Amino acid sequence: MANHALPAHPAAHQDRTANPAPLGLLGFGMTTILLNLHNAGLFELGAMVLAMGIFYGGMAQVCAGLMEWVKGNTFGTVAFTSYGFFWLTLAALIMLPATGLAAANSAGAMTAFLAMWGLLTAVLFVGTLKLNRATQIVFASLTVLFFMLALADATGNHALKVLAGWEGLFCGFAAVYVAAAQILNEMYGRVILPLGEQVRSAPAAVLTRKAA
């Protein structure tokens, strides 16, 4: 009689879900670009920026954060979910006073709001030291952006806010670049757009292994 021996350990579950990071990065990056075009003085703050903040910067990033949770990625969960709700909160801060549901914020209140987000981003930047260089640039420039905007509100310095707008454009385009790199590198199975991968033990170093 044939011996149909069972394996000592069942086969590990293979994760067949897609990488949600490009969605979150595009939601963040594209909305950041549009808002900072306004901060740089190129157009007014209107419905287009608010709609992007609510739906793509906000809801799409929250969805990406939940998908990162399914994958067991704590960093991605915290980052995408937090920044998704940041955009929703920012839209509410603009819309609630306009509808008469809440009083407008003082410069001091916005300074505190932006500084707290700068603090969170600084903590997350430390986490990116275990990731690739391109992601480090995104979080480093975002940390600078939050503190520049906080300082602009604290001092009432319009020129500083315009300068922050240009710095924010760099941050937004950096995030779009990282998203594009992850999409194209995965599609082609090799490095099309380099991310400056760093040798590490975390399981996210797949692109360099694929390209080898």
Side-chain angles (χ1 to χ4, degrees):
M1 185 169 62
N3 181 18
H4 299 288
L6 294 175
H9 300 286
H13 171 68
Q14 185 176 3
D15 183 3
R16 297 182 180 274
T17 58
N19 176 14
L23 171 63
L25 287 162
L26 287 171
F28 168 79
M30 290 172 63
T31 311
T32 298
I33 290 169
L34 293 174
L35 176 63
N36 283 285
L37 286 171
H38 159 71
N39 287 337
L42 299 182
F43 54 70
E44 73 286 347
L45 180 62
M48 180 273 290
V49 176
L50 289 174
M52 279 289 290
I54 293 169
F55 293 104
Y56 202 39
M59 294 173 64
Q61 273 202 95
V62 171
C63 289
L66 294 176
M67 288 187 279
E68 292 282 14
W69 175 79
V70 172
K71 286 181 167 291
N73 183 353
T74 301
F75 181 90
T77 300
V78 173
F80 289 133
T81 306
S82 294
Y83 293 123
F85 280 113
F86 163 79
W87 284 112
L88 293 172
T89 302
L90 185 62
L93 288 174
I94 297 169
M95 295 170 64
L96 288 175
T99 58
L101 295 176
N105 292 289
S106 65
M110 288 305 297
T111 299
F113 173 75
L114 293 165
M116 287 304 300
W117 282 100
L119 180 61
L120 170 64
T121 306
V123 172
L124 293 175
F125 167 71
V126 175
T128 66
L129 298 178
K130 298 290 289 184
L131 303 176
N132 58 68
R133 299 300 186 191
T135 302
Q136 292 170 21
I137 290 172
V138 173
F139 280 83
S141 59
L142 182 58
T143 303
V144 172
L145 174 61
F146 276 127
F147 285 120
M148 287 182 70
L149 290 172
L151 185 58
D153 276 335
T155 61
N157 189 327
H158 178 70
L160 181 57
K161 184 171 183 179
V162 172
L163 181 62
W166 290 105
E167 198 276 345
L169 289 174
F170 172 82
C171 176
F173 278 113
V176 171
Y177 174 87
V178 175
Q182 291 194 24
I183 293 168
L184 296 178
N185 293 352
E186 179 181 319
M187 291 296 295
Y188 283 88
R190 60 188 177 90
V191 175
I192 301 296
L193 296 175
L195 290 168
E197 294 287 350
Q198 196 174 329
V199 178
R200 59 192 184 279
S201 58
V206 282
L207 293 178
T208 46
R209 287 201 296 270
K210 280 184 179 181

